[in-house]
Each structure stands twice: as C-alpha cells, then as structure tokens.
Amino acid sequence: KSTMPDDPCLWGISLRQLQHFRAAVYAAGGFRNKDGSFRDLNMYDLCTEFIKPYTAGSGVSLAVLYNKKMPRRGRLANVFVSHSWGESFLSFVSYLESGVGGQTPLTL
C-alpha cells in the first residue's frame, strides 16, 4: 500500500491522464444508463462509481496512482483548477481541452 506524497504540489494529474480516464469510463459503459441512453456523470458519481473502486486498497488518489512511478512518486502540478462536485465530468474535461488546446501540456 502506497502513501500520498507529503507535498500536495505532487498530487497533479495531466490533461492526457484525465482523457485516458474518460476513455476508460466510456469503455466501461459509464456514460450509458441501463436503457442505453446517455448518462452525464457528475463528479460525485464519477468518484463513487469509478475512482473509489479503481483506487481501492492503494492508499492514494487517482492522480498519484497514475503517477506513482514518477521520480518523486507524483506529478508536479503547474496550475490549480477548481471544480464543483455537482459538475459534469465530461464538461469539466471539455472545458480544460478547449481552454488549453494545443498549448504546453497541462498538469493540474
């Protein structure tokens, strides 16, 4: 079982990693209701249904789990981004994608 890095600046996750996680949720059917209709997960749902099970037993956050093999056991964040727990995960990632575009890789 791992532990979180002491420095919260190392709790970063890259936009590419968020995109990867979005693809994993999509592949698992996370954006579909049982009847096949579209389901827009908010951050509460995402955390409960996907992040907690994915990180269970690791002792670390999703961001640190993605980056545990980095030299300092975490990815240094270069920007702080806030979000609402009631916010759509898809919208959140979309906002980051449109705001960053092809600029320097973003770690938040």
Side-chain angles (χ1 to χ4, degrees):
K1 186 173 180 177
S2 297
T3 59
M4 295 289 291
D6 291 333
D7 184 355
C9 290
L10 293 172
W11 301 351
I13 189 166
S14 72
L15 176 56
R16 187 167 308 273
Q17 289 169 328
L18 281 175
Q19 291 166 326
H20 175 269
F21 195 70
R22 176 183 59 193
V25 172
Y26 177 81
F31 301 117
R32 294 280 168 214
N33 289 308
K34 290 181 182 177
D35 66 3
S37 62
F38 173 72
R39 178 174 180 225
D40 194 10
L41 291 170
N42 64 34
M43 299 294 196
Y44 290 114
D45 298 331
L46 183 77
C47 189
T48 301
E49 298 174 30
F50 293 95
I51 294 175
K52 284 183 179 181
Y54 186 76
T55 60
S58 70
V60 297
S61 68
L62 178 67
V64 172
L65 189 59
Y66 262 99
N67 297 295
K68 68 182 180 182
K69 293 184 180 179
M70 297 286 281
R72 293 169 61 189
R73 294 182 310 114
R75 179 179 293 272
L76 184 64
N78 59 15
V79 69
F80 177 81
V81 177
S82 186
H83 67 83
S84 164
W85 283 96
E87 176 181 20
S88 159
F89 172 66
L90 291 175
S91 293
F92 175 71
V93 175
S94 176
Y95 299 147
L96 293 173
E97 291 169 333
S98 63
V100 174
Q103 298 175 27
T104 303
L106 176 68
T107 299
L108 41 125

